[in-house]
Amino acid sequence: MSELKSWAWAQLEEKKVEPNSGLGKALAYMQKHWDPLTLFLREPGAPLDNNICERALKKAIQHRKNSLFYRTLRGARIGDLFMSFIHTCQLNKVNSFDYLTQLQKNIEEALAAPQKWMPWNYRENLPNE
């Protein structure tokens, strides 16, 4: 990062980059905000990207766009419920259709002990067939 900083500063000081170009503006921004932009480097093990967060936000944004087409508030609530359900299954690497099917097949057991029938642990509680 120190090499990047030196290179960026040199580009601007030696006028190797047009200040009004896209790169020039980006380098000037980086120079002006260097400390906040590199704050994550002070935390050992901090990821260099935030792709996980961006992927999660992408799902929420897509759902928000789709929600514009619900006809009723009740329909929107049900859509939100299913979106949350599907996303939770995906995060736990569970097939949401299989999970829902197993919940329906074992409804009495699931109602009696819901904590044993979460997407991350329901397979452990399936009866041997």
Side-chain angles (χ1 to χ4, degrees):
M1 290 303 286
S2 60
E3 288 177 28
L4 174 64
K5 182 179 179 181
S6 299
W7 177 84
W9 270 241
Q11 298 303 305
L12 293 171
E13 289 172 7
E14 296 169 14
K15 300 194 187 313
K16 292 182 178 179
V17 174
E18 177 64 39
N20 292 329
S21 70
L23 179 59
K25 289 179 182 179
L27 292 175
Y29 180 88
M30 185 172 72
Q31 190 175 33
K32 184 176 180 182
H33 300 284
W34 181 257
D35 287 335
L37 288 171
T38 58
L39 191 59
F40 73 97
L41 294 171
R42 294 174 190 96
E43 183 63 38
L48 296 178
D49 62 45
N50 64 348
N51 290 340
I52 293 171
C53 296
E54 288 181 13
R55 277 193 295 265
L57 288 173
K58 187 181 271 189
K59 287 186 184 296
I61 291 167
Q62 183 65 44
H63 179 62
R64 184 182 63 203
K65 286 182 185 177
N66 293 341
S67 297
L68 295 173
F69 302 100
Y70 290 126
R71 292 185 180 191
T72 65
L73 188 56
R74 187 177 193 294
R77 286 185 183 136
I78 291 170
D80 291 345
L81 177 80
F82 276 111
M83 187 63 202
S84 176
F85 164 79
I86 291 168
H87 187 61
T88 302
C89 286
Q90 287 174 342
L91 288 173
N92 288 280
K93 296 176 178 56
V94 169
N95 180 315
S96 54
F97 183 77
D98 178 58
Y99 174 63
L100 189 57
T101 302
Q102 292 300 331
L103 283 181
Q104 290 176 341
K105 285 181 180 178
N106 300 285
I107 189 70
E108 291 177 15
E109 292 89 347
L111 290 173
Q115 71 279 7
K116 293 182 179 180
W117 290 89
M118 297 291 125
W120 50 89
N121 66 357
Y122 81 100
R123 286 188 184 118
E124 301 163 7
N125 297 294
L126 291 175
N128 294 330
E129 295 179 1

